[in-house]
């Protein structure tokens, strides 16, 4: 009889330890318990910043903790990834950037991170729409006219871009390689100056983000010749895609959310769910439309990692072919 | 008609309670820092810039513009009452303004500088509207060669009119150019002088440099100087100038306005130079030039009008071409970009509310300033008595917070502190910060425009002389340089230094 209490203690202890274990496990997914920092690799007011703020505002409601957005611009996002690589992988430091510092910067400049190893890519928010425009009174009525002119007049076709090494620049040079022709690249500082130059007739064409030209194409002062969207653009279904004019490659620019390497799986899953939902919400879709971001279905987790890896390899090849790669000493 | 609908749209924007409040804060802070020696509009705007990140861009620009022209009003107060210019553009006002005050005409001097500023400011804003709007329509015709030629012309005129040591100004401009090379080259995409530091990829920040050169260094300099503050304790009576004073001031105000506005437009021109030139001109036109420096009201009315009109003029190239005419405009340009707006030909088309809202707010601002400055002179005099032991640590504190919050990085604080020390040494050795900062901003623009032009022309310099706008600008620049070197013409060059100081 004396032993009885002891025996009855055992199941209680087992039960207790089970409860504690369950609680411990629960503590692991009890995230977030404090404000989350969302670093943005570009300056306030830009497209990346607007997307980051919109997605964060929606996600923080689902997470129940505020998301503090902090802009840390520099080196086209490379500065931010350098910082993110050494941030604590606890899910309280996240980053929104374009994919540029992941897929292109490492080929162009010396960066302080390994973009394919140091991070956990979470969600691709969308793809930035881009295209090639000419002035309405240009003799180039369709894409082939521009190519024909460039073939007959090597190096005479001038085109503006938002800067050297940007997606539109790489795409145009890749096109020139495939067509075996030569364009004259005139780099500007950003989309708007490049677009003003084509409006003023200082360059014959400009390849820039859609935000800079949609209103002018609608107003009839610019003509859209080619779009970067693989599916084309709804507003201008007649404008060809790369594939339609016979180019086997794409040149996308993505907006994405990522975290340092080593964030616990439950937290990664939670963040993926929350940010995917945010992308699909009507509020974010509205912002995406305004920012000319193609945000149909978010790419996440392993699929996203694979996509990034592909872009990294593809842009590496692009950059080498175009002759822009960084010098290795 | 478009211009009138623009004005209506502008007033709708600028007359909202929020924007009126921002305008008031701007002109109030502007007057305050204008009165206080030690910190000017560049430092202040840089300092307040991070605080406007969450504000509507129109409101932010309205406030920052208010600081700029508000400082022009405030700067004259200390020049007249204490013989310390609160602002570089009011240096020349000390000469006759302080003498007037000693003769018991402080009220009239303050009155005429406020009225002159008001008249010039208002006319300047009207001219800005009627000039900038058509110019913005033409601005698309300005391609890289035109930009380059225009900046060449502006800098030539500036050199032509420069005062002080040309060698020192040029050496500072060279330092500014060298600093501007740091970062990724806009044409090839290759990093220059970055020493593999990611922080240097985008170059050194304009705002931390401005805060260092124009904020921290002023504080350091003032720490070691015991500023005599002989404020006229006698009651300032009669702020309204009498009939005779009005008669004498009338034409200087008109001439000052014209000089100020047009010099304000030129890159490198602006409030300081136009105030000096106006003073020189009034002295030359006067029947009693020998009396200048003894309390001539013309010597207050002209320069004080000129420096206000220059502010309006400086907005013309900023809003139409995206070229900052002076250092303050360079910081404002940075502010526009931080708010996601690209100053240039497209700004007026795509964001007309920014242009019209800011321009119309200047009417309101000028009215507010008249009200702030005339009846409240007593308050501003009291502000002068704030102990520096409280004021200076506050300025340093705000600079530190401001520098960090720009990009949320301590690197910018380091930049600011270094340039604070550099600026201190520069002032000790009589080097000016403005040529450095202006070259820092204009240098890359000129370089980019030059290289874009040569890419367009496949390497031929003829592109600058075959396009009409750039040919005219280049021709004028060449003519000016020739006239400087031809000895028989050289006599005609206004020797400002002798005339003024």
């Amino acid at each position: 009889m004396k032993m009885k209490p002891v025996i009855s203690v055992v199941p209680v202890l087992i039960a207790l330890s089970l409860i504690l274990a369950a609680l411990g496990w629960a503590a692991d997914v009890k995230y977030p318990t404090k404000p989350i920092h969302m670093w943005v690799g570009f300056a306030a007011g830009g497209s990346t910043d607007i997307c980051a703020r919109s997605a964060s505002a929606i996600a923080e409601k689902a997470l129940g903790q505020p998301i503090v957005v902090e802009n840390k611009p520099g080196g086209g996002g490379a500065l931010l990834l350098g910082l993110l690589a050494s941030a604590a992988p606890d899910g309280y430091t996240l980053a929104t950037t374009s994919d540029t510092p992941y897929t292109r910067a490492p080929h162009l400049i010396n960066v302080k991170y390994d973009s394919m190893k140091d991070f956990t890519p979470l969600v691709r928010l969308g793809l930035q729409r881009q295209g090639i425009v000419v002035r309405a009174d240009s003799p180039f009525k369709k894409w082939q006219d521009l190519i024909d002119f460039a073939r007959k007049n090597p190096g005479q076709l001038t085109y503006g871009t938002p800067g050297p090494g940007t997606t539109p620049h790489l795409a145009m040079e890749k096109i020139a390689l495939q067509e075996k022709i030569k364009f004259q690249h005139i780099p500007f500082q950003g989309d708007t100056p490049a677009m003003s130059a084509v409006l003023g007739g200082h360059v014959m064409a400009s390849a820039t983000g859609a935000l800079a030209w949609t209103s002018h194409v609608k107003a009839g002062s610019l003509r859209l010749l080619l779009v970067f969207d693989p599916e084309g653009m709804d507003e201008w279904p007649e404008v060809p895609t790369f594939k339609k004019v016979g180019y086997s490659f794409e040149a996308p620019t993505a907006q994405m959310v990522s975290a340092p390497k080593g964030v616990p799986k439950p937290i990664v899953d939670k963040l993926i769910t929350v940010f995917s939902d945010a992308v699909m919400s009507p509020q974010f879709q509205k912002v995406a439309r305004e920012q000319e971001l193609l945000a149909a279905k978010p790419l996440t987790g392993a699929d996203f990692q694979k996509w990034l890896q592909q872009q990294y390899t593809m842009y590496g090849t692009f950059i080498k072919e175009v002759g822009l790669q960084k010098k290795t000493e | 008609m478009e211009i009138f609908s623009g004005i209506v749209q502008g007033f709708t924007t600028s007359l909202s309670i929020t924007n009126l409040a921002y305008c008031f804060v701007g002109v109030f802070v502007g007057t305050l820092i204008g009165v206080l020696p030690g910190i000017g509009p560049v430092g202040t705007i840089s300092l307040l810039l991070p605080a406007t990140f969450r504000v509507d861009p129109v409101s932010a620009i309205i406030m920052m513009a208010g600081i700029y022209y508000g400082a022009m009003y405030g700067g004259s107060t200390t020049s007249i009452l204490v013989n310390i210019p609160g602002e570089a553009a009011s240096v020349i006002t000390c000469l006759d303004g302080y003498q007037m005050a000693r003769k018991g005409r402080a009220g009239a001097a303050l009155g005429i500088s406020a009225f002159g500023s008001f008249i010039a400011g208002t006319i300047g804003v009207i001219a800005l509207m009627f000039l900038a709007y058509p110019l913005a329509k033409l601005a698309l015709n300005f391609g890289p060669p035109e930009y380059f030629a225009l900046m060449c012309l502006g800098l030539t005129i500036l050199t032509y009119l420069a005062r002080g040591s040309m060698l020192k100004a040029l050496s500072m401009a060279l330092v500014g150019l060298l600093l501007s090379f740091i970062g990724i080259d806009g044409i090839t995409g290759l990093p220059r002088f970055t020493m593999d530091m990611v922080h240097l990829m985008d170059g050194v920040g304009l705002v931390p440099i401005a805060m260092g050169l124009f904020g921290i260094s002023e504080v350091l300099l003032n720490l070691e100087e015991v500023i005599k503050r002989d404020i006229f304790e006698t009651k300032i009576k009669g702020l309204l100038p009498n009939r005779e004073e009005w008669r004498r001031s009338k034409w200087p105000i008109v001439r000052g306005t014209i000089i100020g506005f047009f010099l304000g437009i030129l890159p490198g021109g602006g409030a300081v130079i136009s105030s000096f030139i106006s003073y020189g001109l009034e002295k030359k036109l006067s029947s009693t030039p020998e009396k200048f420096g003894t309390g001539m009201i013309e010597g207050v009315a002209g320069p004080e009008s000129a420096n206000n009109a220059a502010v309006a003029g400086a907005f013309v190239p900023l809003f139409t071409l995206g070229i900052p005419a002076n250092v303050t405009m360079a910081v404002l340009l940075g502010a526009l970009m931080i708010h996601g707006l690209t100053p240039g030909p497209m700004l007026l088309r795509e964001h007309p509310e920014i242009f019209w809202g800011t321009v119309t707010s200047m009417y309101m601002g000028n009215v507010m300033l008249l009200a702030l400055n005339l009846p409240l002179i007593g308050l501003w005099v009291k502000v002068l008595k704030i102990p520096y032991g409280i004021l200076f640590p506050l300025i340093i504190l705000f600079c530190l917070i401001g520098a960090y919050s720009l990009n949320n990085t301590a690197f910018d604080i380091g930049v600011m502190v270094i340039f604070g020390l550099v600026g201190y040494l520069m002032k000790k050795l009589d080097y000016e910060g403005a040529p450095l900062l202006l070259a820092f901003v204009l240098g890359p623009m000129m370089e980019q425009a030059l290289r874009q032009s040569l890419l367009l022309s496949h390497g031929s310099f003829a592109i600058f002389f075959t396009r009409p706008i750039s040919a005219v600008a280049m021709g004028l620049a060449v003519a000016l340089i020739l006239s400087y070197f031809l000895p028989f013409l050289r006599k005609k060059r206004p020797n400002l230094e002798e005339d003024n100081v």
Side-chain angles (χ1 to χ4, degrees):
Chain A
M1 289 298 275
K2 267 179 188 171
M3 293 299 285
K4 210 171 182 182
V6 177
I7 293 161
S8 64
V9 160
V10 172
V12 171
L13 276 179
I14 291 168
L16 257 179
S17 61
L18 273 175
I19 289 165
L20 278 176
L23 275 177
W25 177 78
D28 264 349
V29 281
K30 200 164 161 28
Y31 162 91
T33 55
K34 57 178 186 181
I36 297 165
H37 292 265
M38 173 64 85
W39 291 349
V40 178
F42 295 84
S47 225
T48 310
D49 176 66
I50 291 170
C51 292
R53 283 175 196 279
S54 168
S56 301
I58 302 163
E60 71 183 2
K61 288 199 194 90
L63 289 168
Q65 282 287 343
I67 299 182
V68 188
V69 178
E70 290 167 38
N71 299 85
K72 294 181 182 284
L79 174 69
L80 178 79
L81 287 199
L83 294 170
L84 189 70
S86 51
D90 54 6
Y92 290 98
T93 306
L94 308 175
T96 308
T97 62
S98 70
D99 70 309
T100 323
Y102 283 89
T103 57
R104 274 155 273 177
H107 305 297
L108 292 164
I109 54 178
N110 294 321
V111 293
K112 307 244 180 290
Y113 54 84
D114 181 337
S115 65
M116 293 298 114
K117 286 191 185 136
D118 293 347
F119 308 104
T120 314
L122 297 171
V123 175
R124 190 181 79 182
L125 299 174
L127 295 174
Q128 210 72 56
R129 326 185 81 152
Q130 319 199 57
I132 297 158
V133 289
V134 295
R135 203 156 76 162
D137 60 3
S138 160
F140 310 138
K141 304 288 179 209
K142 54 185 195 301
W143 177 246
Q144 194 56 42
D145 297 342
L146 184 145
I147 296 295
D148 290 343
F149 174 86
R151 202 181 302 283
K152 281 197 207 93
N153 309 279
Q156 296 297 309
L157 187 118
T158 52
Y159 75 95
T161 68
T166 55
T167 315
H169 175 215
L170 293 175
M172 284 298 275
E173 291 306 317
K174 178 83 178 164
I175 288 170
L177 274 176
Q178 177 157 344
E179 298 270 5
K180 299 193 176 58
I181 51 179
K182 199 176 166 343
F183 297 137
Q184 178 63 55
H185 176 222
I186 316 285
F188 289 85
Q189 300 277 51
D191 282 340
T192 310
M195 203 267 309
S196 311
V198 76
L199 270 179
H202 307 293
V203 292
M204 296 179 196
S206 268
T208 73
L211 199 52
W213 48 252
T214 34
S215 63
H216 298 281
V217 175
K218 278 179 188 145
S221 46
L222 290 177
R223 179 163 46 244
L224 184 59
L225 291 187
L226 191 65
V227 295
F228 286 44
D229 290 30
E231 313 294 330
M233 286 178 80
D234 292 342
E235 298 95 317
W236 298 282
E238 71 286 359
V239 178
T241 58
F242 278 25
K243 205 171 171 186
K244 227 180 218 162
V245 293
Y247 305 140
S248 50
F249 52 88
E250 284 173 19
T253 299
Q255 299 293 359
M256 54 180 283
V257 178
S258 51
K261 182 184 62 181
V263 178
K265 179 118 191 345
I267 295 181
V268 168
D269 292 342
K270 184 158 191 177
L271 286 170
I272 286 179
T273 314
V274 165
F275 276 96
S276 302
D277 291 349
V279 170
M280 296 314 289
S281 72
Q283 299 104 290
F284 186 84
Q285 289 293 324
K286 181 170 175 284
V287 172
R289 265 195 305 281
E290 283 163 8
Q291 294 302 315
E292 296 296 344
L293 188 79
L294 185 68
K297 59 170 200 305
L299 206 55
T300 60
D303 293 343
F304 182 26
Q305 172 88 57
K306 204 173 124 201
W307 182 85
L308 264 187
Q309 181 72 53
Q310 283 167 357
Q311 303 305 308
Y312 177 85
T313 315
M314 181 196 80
Y315 276 116
T317 321
F318 257 46
I319 287 164
K320 267 197 200 73
E321 286 172 351
V322 173
L324 280 169
Q325 78 274 28
K326 67 182 176 197
K327 283 196 197 83
T328 41
E329 60 268 34
Chain B
M1 283 317 281
E2 248 180 295
I3 211 162
F4 292 105
S5 64
I7 294 171
V8 172
Q9 185 194 9
F11 275 114
T12 328
T13 312
S14 60
L15 284 177
S16 76
I17 302 289
T18 330
N19 286 335
L20 277 176
Y22 276 106
C23 185
F24 181 78
V25 171
V27 296
F28 187 85
V29 172
T31 311
L32 185 71
I33 55 120
V35 169
L36 292 170
I39 184 149
V42 184
T44 314
I45 294 174
S46 315
L47 216 149
L48 287 178
L49 179 58
T52 70
F53 283 176
R54 301 289 163 264
V55 176
D56 204 35
V58 193
S59 311
I61 301 297
I62 285 176
M63 184 182 82
M64 288 186 275
I67 294 174
Y68 188 28
Y69 56 84
M72 298 300 143
Y73 277 79
S76 52
T77 308
T78 46
S79 293
I80 291 166
L81 294 181
V82 213
N83 203 20
I84 296 169
E87 208 355 78
S90 297
V91 169
I92 205 79
T93 309
C94 291
L95 298 182
D96 283 276
Y98 184 66
Q99 292 304 324
M100 278 182 78
R102 290 186 63 140
K103 286 182 181 169
R105 296 299 299 155
L110 291 168
I112 204 74
S113 73
F115 280 117
S117 297
F118 177 74
I119 296 166
T122 311
I123 296 177
V125 172
I126 296 173
L128 163 64
M129 258 173 20
F130 284 94
L131 194 65
Y133 192 70
L135 196 64
K137 304 220 118 188
L138 285 176
L140 278 178
N141 296 329
F142 284 73
E146 285 78 19
Y147 271 83
F148 180 72
L150 211 62
M151 283 191 266
C152 279
L153 176 63
L155 292 181
T156 312
I157 297 177
L158 175 69
T159 330
Y160 192 72
L161 299 174
R163 65 202 166 81
S165 163
M166 172 87 71
L167 193 66
K168 284 185 171 178
L170 280 179
S171 61
M172 281 301 102
L174 283 178
V175 173
L177 276 183
L178 282 175
L179 284 168
S180 79
F181 290 152
I182 298 172
I184 290 187
D185 170 23
I187 301 289
T188 60
L190 294 172
R192 297 193 292 204
F193 306 106
T194 57
M195 293 165 276
D196 267 348
M197 285 168 71
V198 194
H199 281 109
L200 289 177
M201 284 288 178
D202 292 340
V204 191
L206 165 69
V207 177
I209 295 186
M211 279 200 252
L213 285 183
F214 296 92
I216 303 273
S217 75
E218 289 288 350
V219 172
L220 292 178
L221 203 71
N222 281 315
L223 280 182
E224 62 184 38
E225 276 173 19
V226 183
I227 299 177
K228 304 189 304 289
R229 291 192 276 187
D230 313 325
I231 300 162
F232 277 93
E233 297 293 348
T234 49
K235 196 151 169 47
I236 302 157
K237 51 180 194 291
L239 284 168
L240 295 179
N242 59 35
R243 192 178 288 261
E244 167 66 8
E245 283 162 335
W246 265 116
R247 191 189 58 75
R248 285 167 57 193
S249 306
K250 195 169 54 186
W251 289 109
I253 290 176
V254 172
R255 284 189 290 263
T257 306
I258 298 171
I259 292 171
F261 185 77
F262 285 101
L263 279 178
I265 295 176
L266 293 172
V272 184
I273 287 192
S274 60
S275 67
F276 274 79
I277 291 186
S278 164
Y279 189 86
L281 184 73
E282 292 313 324
K283 194 172 173 183
K284 218 165 243 166
L285 290 174
S286 170
S287 51
T288 53
E290 70 283 355
K291 281 196 177 164
F292 270 75
T294 63
M296 295 283 278
I297 196 159
E298 292 90 337
V300 178
E304 280 303 317
S305 310
N307 66 25
N308 269 277
V311 174
F315 277 97
V316 174
L318 180 79
F319 277 141
T320 55
L321 300 170
I323 300 177
N326 58 50
V327 176
T328 317
M329 289 297 129
V331 178
L332 268 180
L333 179 117
L336 282 167
M337 306 236 281
I338 282 173
H339 282 281
L341 302 162
T342 312
M346 299 320 292
L347 184 72
L348 229 163
R349 293 181 185 211
E350 293 180 349
H351 300 280
E353 77 283 359
I354 301 276
F355 174 79
W356 292 111
T358 310
V359 171
T360 51
S361 82
M362 291 175 166
Y363 286 106
M364 317 314 300
N366 273 299
V367 175
M368 288 180 199
L369 278 167
L370 202 59
L372 272 177
N373 274 265
L374 288 183
L376 294 181
I377 288 282
L379 172 80
W380 303 119
V381 172
K382 281 210 183 70
V383 162
L384 270 175
K385 292 178 180 162
I386 294 177
Y388 288 165
I390 294 172
L391 190 64
F392 289 156
L394 272 179
I395 294 180
I396 299 268
L397 178 72
F398 285 130
C399 283
L400 288 172
I401 298 172
Y404 180 78
S405 53
L406 278 174
N407 294 322
N408 295 310
T409 156
F411 184 81
D412 286 336
I413 294 183
V415 171
M416 179 188 75
V417 170
I418 290 170
F419 278 93
L421 295 174
V422 170
Y424 168 76
L425 291 176
M426 280 164 56
K427 291 211 169 69
K428 285 296 238 185
L429 301 170
D430 225 14
Y431 286 85
E432 275 190 79
L436 187 158
L437 209 59
L438 202 66
F440 180 75
V441 177
L442 288 182
M445 288 189 173
M446 280 183 85
E447 184 202 348
Q448 177 106 355
L450 173 67
R451 290 170 70 189
Q452 283 168 338
S453 305
L454 293 177
L455 282 172
L456 283 170
S457 71
H458 304 279
S460 162
F461 276 90
I463 192 170
F464 298 112
F465 299 97
T466 51
R467 297 166 57 126
I469 301 173
S470 83
V472 169
M474 281 296 194
L476 285 173
V478 171
L480 266 179
I481 294 170
L482 284 180
S483 79
Y484 179 76
F485 286 109
L486 291 179
F488 66 93
L489 280 170
R490 194 175 181 175
K491 257 185 206 151
K492 288 190 180 158
R493 179 181 180 248
N495 192 333
L496 294 162
E497 224 170 334
E498 259 170 44
D499 281 359
N500 296 326
V501 187

